[in-house]
């Protein structure tokens, strides 16, 4: 489907009136980008096949990559999906918040939203603008990340304008995304058993502390083979990759910082670094993600850093540390591994 929007309405610090206007656009089958606590979402009515098709067209997204539906309230899920005790427990612990749960879908959700699957992914965002928009619209909103397919997700309105200006009807500007990485996606397997399809800010540690047994879909940490279908279809696509070749450095903090420090200054080489390395990297092209011990800041800054690398055409190689797999580190590890096309150099 060709996308033919000429003027994109940009609503900064949106008032309730602005939000109502955006909700009306959604009810008319139009596209609205809105902020969430994870990343910006590109929304359309999840009950309207044509509206959903417009999302795929605006993003250039493959039609077998399903959309997450966003709800104002965790209890609304029963209208659109078969809920279970596992869902109810997850919802009481982590919703609203950065968690998506895959459930058997009900007939009202079109297959075009679920990429042909008989399941639907459900999330209840906590961001106040997202929540008000969902309340005002009164319908479930299908919303993948608002980036063009293959690019890093949008964590600022500048990213959204770069990717979606002229392709969507309105953008609600809510400033920088708090978390900066997409939601955790879980597939329930039993009352207290889940498969982690995509890591995010709701971590394995948080789930196990609350009595869940968690297994990891191998697409989170390994490159899917050509004939393999990951449980979350989106995990098989190239994603986040900067134009330059990204190489992840697997080693201790000291080994990684020594490697970067001793690399010759070269305008074609850039580094993603920790704040602690600032004094060593003065003569080099370096982007600082945050303190070594502050994975939250690293997550917040990662996608902006990947986009900045693309603004300097002279950069052909980028080195970045391979994060630890603990807590939110696993989400960083997963996104960086995909961005690097699984290229890791052991130190
Ligand atoms: P995005 O909204 O861009 O963050 O991408 C949504 C992610 O959710 C993709 O990786 C999808 O494959 C995944 N997803 C959405 N719906 C389902 C579903 N029914 N089953 C498994 N994964 C899903
Ligand atoms: Mg996405």
């Amino acid at each position: 489907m060709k996308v033919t929007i000429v003027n994109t309405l940009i609503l900064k610090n949106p008032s309730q009136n602005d939000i109502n206007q955006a909700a009306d656009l959604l009810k008319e089958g139009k596209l609205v980008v809105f902020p969430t606590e994870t990343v910006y979402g590109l929304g359309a009515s999840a009950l309207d096949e044509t509206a959903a098709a417009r999302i795929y067209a605006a993003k250039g997204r493959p039609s077998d990559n399903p959309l997450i539906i966003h709800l104002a309230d965790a209890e609304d899920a029963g209208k659109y999906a078969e809920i279970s005790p596992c869902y109810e427990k997850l919802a009481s612990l982590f919703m609203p918040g950065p968690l998506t749960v895959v459930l058997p879908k009900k007939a009202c959700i079109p297959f075009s939203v679920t990429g042909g699957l008989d399941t639907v992914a459900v999330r209840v965002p906590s961001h106040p603008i997202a929540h008000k928009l969902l309340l005002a619209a009164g319908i479930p909103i299908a919303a993948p990340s608002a980036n063009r397919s293959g690019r890093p997700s949008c964590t600022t309105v500048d990213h959204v304008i770069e990717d979606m200006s002229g392709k969507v009807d309105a953008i609600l500007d809510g400033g920088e995304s708090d978390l900066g990485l997409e939601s955790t996606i879980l597939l329930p397997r039993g009352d207290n058993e889940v498969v982690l399809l995509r890591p995010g800010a709701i971590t394995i540690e948080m789930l196990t502390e609350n009595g869940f047994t968690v297994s990891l879909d191998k697409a989170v940490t390994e490159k899917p083979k050509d004939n393999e279908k990951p449980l979350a279809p989106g995990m098989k696509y190239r994603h986040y990759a900067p134009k330059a070749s990204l190489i992840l450095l697997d080693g201790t903090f000291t080994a990684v910082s020594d490697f970067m420090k001793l690399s010759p200054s070269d305008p074609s080489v850039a580094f993603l670094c920790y704040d602690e390395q600032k004094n060593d990297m003065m003569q080099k092209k370096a982007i600082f993600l945050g303190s070594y011990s502050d994975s939250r800041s690293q997550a917040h800054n990662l996608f902006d850093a990947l986009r900045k690398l693309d603004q300097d055409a002279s950069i052909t190689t980028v080195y970045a540390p391979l994060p630890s797999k603990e807590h939110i580190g696993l989400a960083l590890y997963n996104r960086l591994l995909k961005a690097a096309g699984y290229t890791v150099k052991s130190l």
Side-chain angles (χ1 to χ4, degrees):
M1 184 193 277
K2 196 159 172 284
V3 188
T4 49
I5 296 156
V6 181
N7 292 316
T8 297
L9 185 65
I10 300 176
L11 299 162
K12 204 170 163 56
N13 298 322
S15 64
Q16 185 62 50
N17 272 347
D18 294 333
I19 292 173
N20 292 345
Q21 188 184 354
D24 288 342
L25 290 171
L26 288 169
K27 286 189 275 187
E28 289 164 21
K30 298 199 165 144
L31 299 182
V32 174
V33 175
F34 60 95
T36 82
E37 67 279 20
T38 58
V39 298
Y40 274 82
L42 166 52
S45 167
L47 302 175
D48 178 340
E49 294 216 31
T50 313
R54 297 179 75 211
I55 291 182
Y56 286 94
K59 278 182 64 84
R61 181 171 173 110
S63 62
D64 69 345
N65 190 1
L67 309 176
I68 293 173
I69 70 162
H70 292 64
L71 305 173
D73 196 312
E75 281 166 21
D76 294 341
K79 297 184 207 162
Y80 312 108
E82 305 293 344
I83 58 169
S84 58
C86 183
Y87 171 79
E88 281 172 347
K89 187 171 171 197
L90 288 167
S92 71
L93 288 164
F94 303 117
M95 290 183 181
L99 177 69
T100 297
V101 183
V102 175
L103 299 168
K105 82 173 193 72
K106 288 193 169 168
C108 56
I109 300 293
F111 282 107
S112 56
V113 167
T114 67
L117 299 176
D118 51 16
T119 52
V120 62
V122 171
R123 170 161 130 72
V124 181
S126 63
H127 193 293
I129 295 175
H131 182 68
K132 285 183 193 163
L133 179 69
L134 289 161
L135 275 183
I139 47 173
I141 302 299
S145 51
N147 52 290
R148 268 190 288 118
S149 201
R151 300 210 73 206
S153 299
C154 301
T155 58
T156 70
V157 150
D158 286 347
H159 300 164
V160 177
I161 291 170
E162 198 173 83
D163 280 15
M164 286 298 153
S165 190
K167 294 187 175 155
V168 298
D169 298 279
I171 300 171
L172 295 174
D173 182 349
E176 283 184 26
S177 307
D178 177 21
L179 296 169
L181 296 180
E182 307 85 346
S183 59
T184 300
I185 305 181
L186 298 177
L187 174 66
R189 271 284 153 84
D191 282 3
N192 292 297
E193 213 183 312
V194 292
V195 187
L196 180 74
L197 306 189
R198 179 175 73 184
I202 304 299
T203 62
I204 294 183
E205 291 84 349
M206 290 159 77
L207 292 161
T208 49
E209 267 164 33
N210 282 287
F212 287 96
T213 306
V214 186
S215 49
L216 196 60
D217 186 33
K218 64 179 184 186
V220 171
T221 53
E222 287 171 35
K223 185 178 184 171
K225 303 211 168 62
D226 285 346
N227 56 352
E228 254 173 3
K229 272 196 185 163
L231 291 167
M235 297 292 271
K236 74 172 177 277
Y237 291 108
R238 179 182 168 274
H239 221 162
Y240 317 121
K243 290 178 190 134
S245 316
L246 174 62
I247 300 164
L248 301 181
L249 302 172
D250 185 9
T252 60
F253 172 76
T254 313
V256 169
S257 37
D258 282 352
F259 177 93
M260 292 184 176
K261 184 169 136 184
L262 299 173
S263 296
S265 297
D266 176 343
S268 71
V269 180
F271 303 87
L272 297 185
C273 313
Y274 298 119
D275 289 355
E276 289 79 355
Q277 296 170 257
K278 272 189 181 149
N279 289 338
D280 293 339
M281 303 301 289
M282 301 281 209
Q283 311 302 324
K284 301 187 175 115
K285 288 186 178 171
I287 299 179
F288 298 92
L289 294 174
S291 170
Y292 174 66
S293 57
D294 185 358
S295 307
R296 279 285 292 244
S297 292
Q298 296 162 32
H300 177 86
N301 293 323
L302 178 65
F303 289 151
D304 187 59
L306 291 176
R307 280 177 180 259
K308 283 206 175 98
L309 291 170
D310 281 348
Q311 285 163 9
D312 182 344
S314 63
I315 299 173
T316 55
T317 306
V318 181
Y319 290 102
L322 182 72
S324 100
K325 289 190 231 169
E326 282 166 22
H327 304 281
I328 200 172
L330 182 64
L332 276 162
Y333 178 98
N334 165 259
R335 306 311 191 274
L336 272 167
L337 209 58
K338 290 183 71 128
Y342 302 85
T343 309
V344 177
K345 178 181 172 62
S346 293
L347 296 179

